[in-house]
Every structure is written in structure tokens, then in C-alpha cells.
Amino acid sequence: MSDCLFCRIAAGSVPSAKVYEDDMVYAFKDIDPQAPLHVLIIPKKHIQSVLQAGGENAPYVAAMMDAARKIAKDAGVDESGFRLVMNTGADGGQTVDHLHAHLLGGRSLGWPPG
């Protein structure tokens, strides 16, 4: 989708600080980090939100989880812990209409989240 910011980032037409990439997902540092480690993990296929994540799109969600595990291990937060967040819709805090997961770590994360 040419007007989607995350599609353009995954395609390489918008610069980003790449952390991980495979054939199904792309991960990059958040430009407004909320923790020492704050990475966005996106499917390379345009999927609007969690509401469209099932069926034929399920392999992309599984690939996002695999990427999160690898990134957390590489960053050294797999043992201490991290948070994986998928915001959905305006009230859920989703600001870009492209499925994405925030991987946050590197500090103690309180509950409930803001």
C-alpha cells in the first residue's frame, strides 16, 4: 500500500534504523523510544490491525513472534524480561494503520501501562 508509512519503511523507501529483517517481517528502532529497547516489528504485507491477523495472515503474526524472540535474545533482554504490545484502533493507541508490535525492554516496566 503506497500511502502506508510502514509499508514504505519495509520497502526501504523511508529510512529506518533496521534491527531485524526476514522474508515476512521487518523490525526497526522506534523514533520516540519509551524504553532503552523499543523496536517496532511489522509484517511486510499490509495488514491493518490485529482484527485482520487471522486466516491467511496468521503466518505473518507467527513470524512477528519469532522475530520478537530473536530480537529480545540478541538485545539481552530475553532473561530479564520484555513487553510485546499490539495496539488496535484509536482507543487502543494505534496511530499507524498497519499491524505492528512494540517490543520494549531494558528497564522494569510498570503495570498497568499508561
Side-chain angles (χ1 to χ4, degrees):
M1 180 172 273
S2 64
D3 62 336
C4 173
L5 174 62
F6 285 176
C7 286
R8 292 187 320 231
I9 288 173
S13 61
V14 171
S16 66
K18 180 170 76 169
V19 173
Y20 176 85
E21 182 176 18
D22 65 26
D23 60 332
M24 297 185 83
V25 301
Y26 184 81
F28 56 99
K29 292 181 180 180
D30 193 295
I31 62 169
D32 183 24
Q34 301 300 304
L37 176 67
H38 189 167
V39 174
L40 297 177
I41 305 168
I42 63 173
K44 288 185 174 179
K45 176 183 178 183
H46 184 80
I47 302 168
Q48 185 172 337
S49 76
V50 168
L51 298 174
Q52 292 79 33
E56 68 183 33
N57 294 326
Y60 288 91
V61 178
M64 291 171 71
M65 297 304 111
D66 286 343
R69 188 185 74 254
K70 292 173 187 173
I71 294 164
K73 184 173 176 65
D74 289 348
V77 299
D78 57 323
E79 296 290 327
S80 60
F82 59 94
R83 183 171 292 161
L84 196 60
V85 177
M86 295 176 135
N87 300 325
T88 304
D91 284 351
Q94 185 176 7
T95 58
V96 177
D97 287 334
H98 184 118
L99 179 66
H100 57 285
H102 295 259
L103 191 154
L104 300 125
R107 67 170 173 84
S108 181
L109 300 166
W111 195 262

